[in-house]
Amino acid sequence: MNRFSLALSRGIARVTDSPLGPYQTAVIRIGFSLTWLLFLLREFPHRQELYGPDGPWSWQLAEQLVATNDAFTVLLWSDSQVWFEAVYALAVLWSLLLLLGWRTRTMSVLFMVGVLTLQNRSVFMGDGGDNVLHLMAIYLVFTRCGQVWSLDARRARRAARARARGDRPRDRVGPALWGMFGFALLLATLAGRTEGDRFIPVLLWAVWSAQALWWLAGRRAGSGQPRILLDVVANIVHNGALLVIMAEACLIYATAGWYKVQGSRWQDGTAVYYPLHLEYFSPWPALADLMSASGTMVMLVTYVTVAVQVAFPFTLFNRRVKNVLLSFMILEHAVIAVVLGLPFFSLAMIAADAVFLPTSFLRRLGGLTARVRGGPRPRRGGTSLPGPRPPADSPAGRAPDPVPGGVPAPRT
């Protein structure tokens, strides 16, 4: 019983003390924001046909569908061309800022708004990759995805060094963003634009209120207890969202694998042959012919694909086997991107797979990237060594946060 209690207490402490998987969530943030950014830039010349007021899926048809399924999209707030261009440009900007990790809490929410707005405007323009991106954009809102490899992490390090010197860094950008977007959300609510599906408006108000509570706990509270409590809640929410992302990725592969098992073409080993010879999925016909020239190779690829997708969720408890299958799936999606001409679907799936990448590999990857850029190599664990300890009677020798008039460290 004591052993069980000790294990339980350790598990609770692990979930509440810190956000798990900081490198994995950073890769997910970078992967999905990059996928959506590249898609928007690639389709910029065709944006009118995809999501514009004069597209094949007209504004009136979209309005009728949204009235039926209560999907969230701000593009139907107006049929003006100016409004469409502004929303599309903002979606590009929000994706770029989330990719860089600038104000990730705010940008993750705005990134979700951009994704849902464009996809729900023309739901028949997407594919499987869009569905993954749609879900992951919502899950990202609940994660603290800017702890590493972000401008927020750099800002946090600079603020920590400033507090160590006895300074009190003030954040003026955060409150300004909070006030501006709160005002916009209030106007949209009063104008009745958030009617229909209640989940997204409630989520927006909840995040906006949580940010206000976080700021007040750090700036106005007389002790550090409220801030510690909020930090524990944020860690629990983050870790829960990370678990949901992992479960979602497993569900995608398990469902795809078991449906393939039931298909006759997958059973006789010829399923991979057919998409290689569809004109729509053959940007490189010569390469497709080369890959399908051997019937034995086609059969092996077909069976291995099904076996890997079905088995992957069951290999998560064995790190070595999981890493081997994960490498195969990432390679498979890279081949799909080139051979079948589905780069954004493949990027979305690779980004989802990244949640299972080993932390040691991601740290080495970050160090290699830093050396290539010529910057300082990040230390193990992503933290910097502390400087000399100041005298106990100096201002820097006392914990500067939270105190009245102080500014909390940025929440990422």
Side-chain angles (χ1 to χ4, degrees):
M1 188 65 181
N2 292 333
R3 184 179 301 177
F4 173 77
S5 300
L6 182 60
L8 181 62
S9 62
R10 287 178 178 175
I12 295 175
R14 182 172 176 80
V15 172
T16 59
D17 283 352
S18 62
L20 303 177
Y23 293 92
Q24 286 79 1
T25 49
V27 172
I28 292 174
R29 184 200 83 232
I30 294 171
F32 282 106
S33 58
L34 179 63
T35 301
W36 186 239
L37 176 63
L38 293 178
F39 174 79
L40 295 180
L41 294 178
R42 202 281 298 271
E43 299 297 342
F44 185 80
H46 314 290
R47 64 191 185 281
Q48 296 292 341
E49 291 80 3
L50 288 174
Y51 308 113
D54 300 326
W57 188 251
S58 66
W59 194 88
Q60 290 77 15
L61 290 175
E63 189 178 33
Q64 294 178 22
L65 181 61
V66 168
T68 302
N69 60 14
D70 292 330
F72 176 85
T73 173
V74 304
L75 278 180
L76 295 183
W77 292 2
S78 172
D79 59 354
S80 168
Q81 181 66 29
V82 175
W83 176 249
F84 166 73
E85 297 291 352
V87 171
Y88 197 94
L90 286 174
V92 173
L93 177 62
W94 296 335
S95 302
L96 176 61
L97 293 178
L98 183 63
L99 172 65
L100 298 176
W102 185 80
R103 306 288 171 173
T104 51
R105 179 59 59 194
T106 301
M107 290 306 129
S108 63
V109 175
L110 296 178
F111 175 76
M112 176 195 68
V113 171
V115 170
L116 298 185
T117 290
L118 293 176
Q119 289 189 354
N120 290 336
R121 165 61 177 84
S122 300
V123 294
F124 301 107
M125 298 296 181
D127 54 23
D130 292 329
N131 294 333
V132 176
L133 184 63
H134 190 107
L135 293 172
M136 295 300 178
I138 299 176
Y139 299 153
L140 270 177
V141 174
F142 299 93
T143 64
R144 308 180 76 171
C145 55
Q147 301 173 87
V148 297
W149 299 342
S150 67
L151 295 179
D152 281 352
R154 186 178 68 174
R155 179 165 52 88
R157 290 192 298 268
R158 290 179 176 177
R161 287 195 294 266
R163 287 193 295 269
R165 294 192 303 266
D167 299 334
R168 291 181 177 178
R170 295 187 177 276
D171 180 18
R172 296 181 175 85
V173 177
L177 286 174
W178 178 84
M180 180 175 62
F181 290 114
F183 180 72
L185 186 57
L186 178 62
L187 290 181
T189 303
L190 294 179
R193 299 298 186 180
T194 58
E195 296 178 355
D197 183 15
R198 294 294 182 183
F199 174 73
I200 298 301
V202 169
L203 177 60
L204 295 177
W205 277 115
V207 174
W208 184 82
S209 302
Q211 286 296 94
L213 188 61
W214 183 273
W215 183 84
L216 288 174
R219 187 177 179 86
R220 301 298 183 187
S223 65
Q225 297 302 320
R227 180 63 179 272
I228 294 174
L229 176 60
L230 291 179
D231 200 51
V232 168
V233 173
N235 291 337
I236 294 175
V237 172
H238 166 91
N239 295 331
L242 185 61
L243 179 62
V244 170
I245 291 174
M246 298 172 68
E248 186 72 37
C250 290
L251 182 62
I252 290 173
Y253 283 116
T255 303
W258 285 110
Y259 270 106
K260 286 182 176 66
V261 169
Q262 302 174 46
S264 59
R265 294 293 177 261
W266 291 96
Q267 293 175 6
D268 60 25
T270 61
V272 172
Y273 176 86
Y274 296 99
L276 292 175
H277 292 82
L278 292 176
E279 183 178 358
Y280 183 77
F281 294 110
S282 299
W284 314 99
L287 182 59
D289 291 338
L290 179 63
M291 294 187 64
S292 60
S294 172
T296 303
M297 182 60 64
V298 170
M299 182 185 66
L300 287 176
V301 173
T302 301
Y303 287 155
V304 170
T305 298
V306 176
V308 168
Q309 290 184 347
V310 172
F312 179 74
F314 302 100
T315 63
L316 297 181
F317 300 101
N318 189 308
R319 182 176 302 179
R320 293 182 179 179
V321 177
K322 181 263 294 183
N323 290 339
V324 171
L325 296 188
L326 186 62
S327 301
F328 176 83
M329 289 190 297
I330 292 177
L331 177 62
E332 181 184 38
H333 288 304
V335 172
I336 291 174
V338 176
V339 178
L340 299 183
L342 297 172
F344 302 111
F345 166 77
S346 298
L347 279 175
M349 291 307 303
I350 291 174
D353 294 340
V355 72
F356 300 107
L357 289 174
T359 301
S360 58
F361 169 77
L362 294 176
R363 284 174 174 170
R364 289 195 296 268
L365 181 62
L368 177 63
T369 304
R371 288 197 298 271
V372 170
R373 292 185 309 167
R377 182 178 179 180
R379 296 181 176 88
R380 183 175 180 84
T383 58
S384 57
L385 295 177
R389 179 177 296 178
D393 57 348
S394 68
R398 299 186 299 269
D401 262 335
V403 295
V407 178
R411 179 185 180 185
T412 57

